[in-house]
Amino acid sequence: MSVDEPNEIRERQLRILEALLFASAEPLSLPEMAPYLGQGPDVRSLVDELQTRYASRGINLVRRGDRWAFRTAEDLGFLLRREEQETRPLSRAALETLAIIAYHQPSTRAEIEEIRGVATGKGTLDLLMEAGWVRMRGRRRTPGRPVTYGTTEAFLDHFGLERLSDLPGLDELKGSGLLSSQIPASMQIPLPFDGSLRDDEDPIDPDDDGDSERAEDE
């Protein structure tokens, strides 16, 4: 092996990663990228190097949960807004439900309704799941075995978050007008749990669409 060969191999691996990430419609995880790179590459090291190379460009390599994707640099996003397809905005009920799930997950439908103070319409959770932002996590080990809901990596990607801990804090929410400045001083934003399952959750059956829970609640 020549002195330059290791560098040539690494450059080829970087080019392969670059091509994979450009071609993929969805963010990719390290295990998904590894098979394309040959035997024994340090995939995370390669991703970190590629991220550094693109840090000052018009597109950046960003992390979304445990996955990676190329996205327009934040300071240039305004240039592409006119190219975005117009979409119907979420209703207030859907926005509130999404926020509750994001901050309080894993949440059951009953817990969402308790926080909102009103019943959650049948279509609200379905709409959020169809958008790909909410998923059924499991079933709570309580009477009725209610479904628990959590956010997805698509939620992180859409809202430009690397991880759930990047969600806005209490001061940021108040500053944006999403929370009243007159809220009690003791109010705290909870720490969401986005692991696979908590101790009080059981895995959900792949064929389970949550209909049994909705039928019981209606």
Side-chain angles (χ1 to χ4, degrees), residues 9 54 71 83 117 138 148 182 193 199 216:
I9 292 174
Y54 275 87
R71 293 291 181 262
E83 303 297 333
T148 57
Q182 303 301 316
F193 176 84
D199 291 340
E216 293 170 5

Side-chain angles (χ1 to χ4, degrees), residues 63-68 153 156-157 161-164 194:
R63 183 173 179 174
R64 297 292 182 253
D66 292 327
R67 296 173 179 270
W68 299 81
E153 289 180 336
L156 297 178
D157 191 26
L161 304 171
E162 183 172 315
R163 54 181 68 87
L164 279 177
D194 63 344

Side-chain angles (χ1 to χ4, degrees), residues 23-207:
S24 178
E26 303 292 338
L28 297 174
S29 66
L30 299 182
E32 287 172 335
M33 292 183 272
Y36 297 90
L37 301 174
Q39 292 293 327
D42 183 347
V43 184
R44 181 55 190 269
S45 172
L46 290 166
V47 168
D48 288 344
E49 182 171 344
L50 199 60
Q51 185 180 40
T52 299
R53 292 188 181 189
Y54 275 87
S56 61
R57 298 186 183 180
I59 56 173
N60 300 150
L61 182 56
V62 298
R63 183 173 179 174
R64 297 292 182 253
D66 292 327
R67 296 173 179 270
W68 299 81
F70 280 117
R71 293 291 181 262
T72 303
E74 288 188 9
D75 61 323
L76 299 178
F78 71 96
L79 294 172
L80 302 181
R81 284 176 189 160
R82 60 186 175 185
E83 303 297 333
E84 292 178 355
Q85 183 177 8
E86 184 176 352
T87 57
R88 183 179 178 183
L90 290 177
S91 66
R92 179 172 179 175
L95 284 171
E96 289 177 353
T97 300
L98 180 61
I100 290 169
I101 292 173
Y103 281 100
H104 293 262
Q105 61 185 298
S107 302
T108 65
R109 183 176 175 180
E111 290 166 347
I112 295 168
E113 292 176 344
E114 181 180 1
I115 294 171
R116 290 191 64 223
V118 295
T120 300
K122 176 184 176 184
T124 301
L125 285 168
D126 290 336
L127 176 66
L128 294 174
M129 286 192 288
E130 287 171 7
W133 297 342
V134 167
R135 65 186 176 91
M136 293 188 293
R137 292 171 43 89
R139 284 193 176 272
R140 186 71 53 78
R141 294 176 187 169
T142 56
R145 310 256 307 143
V147 171
T148 57
Y149 296 92
T151 53
T152 65
E153 289 180 336
F155 166 82
L156 297 178
D157 191 26
H158 182 83
F159 290 97
L161 304 171
E162 183 172 315
R163 54 181 68 87
L164 279 177
S165 58
D166 294 331
L167 283 166
L170 191 58
D171 291 339
E172 293 172 278
L173 290 175
K174 288 165 61 176
S176 67
L178 294 176
L179 283 179
S180 167
S181 59
Q182 303 301 316
I183 60 174
S186 59
M187 179 178 173
Q188 298 292 325
I189 293 293
L191 181 64
F193 176 84
D194 63 344
S196 55
L197 289 171
R198 286 197 327 192
D199 291 340
D200 61 350
E201 292 179 283
D202 286 325
I204 200 161
D205 190 305
D207 297 326

